Amino acid sequence: MLNKEFKYPDTAAYDFVVQRLKEKGITIEDIAKISFQMQSEFLPNLSMDEVREDTVSVLHKREVLNNAMVGLELDRLATENQLSEPLESIIKNDAGVFGVDEGIALDIANIYGTIGVTNYGFIDREKTGIIKKLDESKKGDNQSNTFIDDIVGALASAVAAKIAHRNS
Ligand code: MG
């Protein structure tokens, strides 16, 4: 079934991720704001325009999109009770020992090296901004947000790492 003519659908992947985030109330601006918060402490001249540009650029990387698509799709499938057991219950209940959500997030955070991973660890503990909202909304409705909070944190961390590298 392998098609040698297959062309990687980069634009479709980007649209998929941006649209899925939007459906959960998360914009590129929200992600940029977290990254700005993380880096402005070290770079007083950092502008939001610059961070916004970096966010869009990170969101165009294939490794980022691939990991984000898988995680976001698993959240959708879990929300719609489409997964087989025991995976459905594990993801729906955001079981602490599952860890695949963090694995996917670390893969994203790592694209600019260890600074991204360190940032992700920090964000995961602090749960700043929109991530806190996502984390809290888990308890309320019947939506699975198991992957999305980690993905958003990882995206913001990767952007922060990209900025740190450029300015070092
Ligand atoms: Mg999670």
Side-chain angles (χ1 to χ4, degrees):
M1 274 293 281
L2 288 183
N3 176 5
K4 287 199 181 108
E5 305 294 302
F6 180 76
K7 277 252 189 304
Y8 211 85
D10 292 296
T11 307
Y14 174 82
D15 292 344
F16 177 107
V17 170
V18 172
Q19 179 59 31
R20 284 291 171 83
L21 291 173
K22 202 175 139 197
E23 284 166 15
K24 297 269 189 165
I26 296 149
T27 61
I28 290 175
E29 187 75 12
D30 293 323
I31 297 167
K33 272 186 195 154
I34 302 170
S35 313
F36 180 83
Q37 257 181 24
M38 298 177 91
Q39 284 304 312
S40 57
E41 181 185 338
F42 311 108
L43 304 164
N45 295 322
L46 186 67
S47 78
M48 255 311 272
D49 283 345
E50 196 182 330
V51 180
R52 229 175 262 128
E53 233 171 78
D54 285 321
T55 308
V56 173
S57 150
V58 165
L59 276 167
H60 275 91
K61 290 187 90 69
R62 264 183 202 165
E63 310 94 292
V64 170
L65 293 171
N66 290 343
N67 281 289
M69 280 195 293
V70 171
L72 294 169
E73 184 70 353
L74 283 168
D75 268 346
R76 181 187 69 82
L77 291 167
T79 297
E80 294 173 7
N81 297 307
Q82 300 283 332
L83 293 171
S84 304
E85 289 296 352
L87 194 57
E88 174 69 34
S89 299
I90 292 170
I91 293 180
K92 201 63 163 288
N93 289 296
D94 198 8
V97 290
F98 180 53
V100 178
D101 43 345
E102 282 89 359
I104 280 182
L106 282 170
D107 234 27
I108 293 174
N110 195 35
I111 61 161
Y112 294 104
T114 46
I115 301 179
V117 174
T118 314
N119 284 337
Y120 171 71
F122 176 77
I123 278 192
D124 192 43
R125 288 217 120 204
E126 295 285 298
K127 306 225 184 283
T128 45
I130 192 84
I131 296 165
K132 187 169 193 168
K133 267 210 297 205
L134 281 173
D135 196 53
E136 281 168 354
S137 75
K138 275 176 192 171
K139 295 140 201 159
D141 50 29
N142 213 24
Q143 302 262 323
S144 170
N145 287 336
T146 295
F147 287 88
I148 195 170
D149 59 339
D150 298 293
I151 289 170
V152 171
L155 288 170
S157 306
V159 173
K162 182 173 160 63
I163 296 164
H165 278 293
R166 193 181 45 249
N167 287 282
S168 64

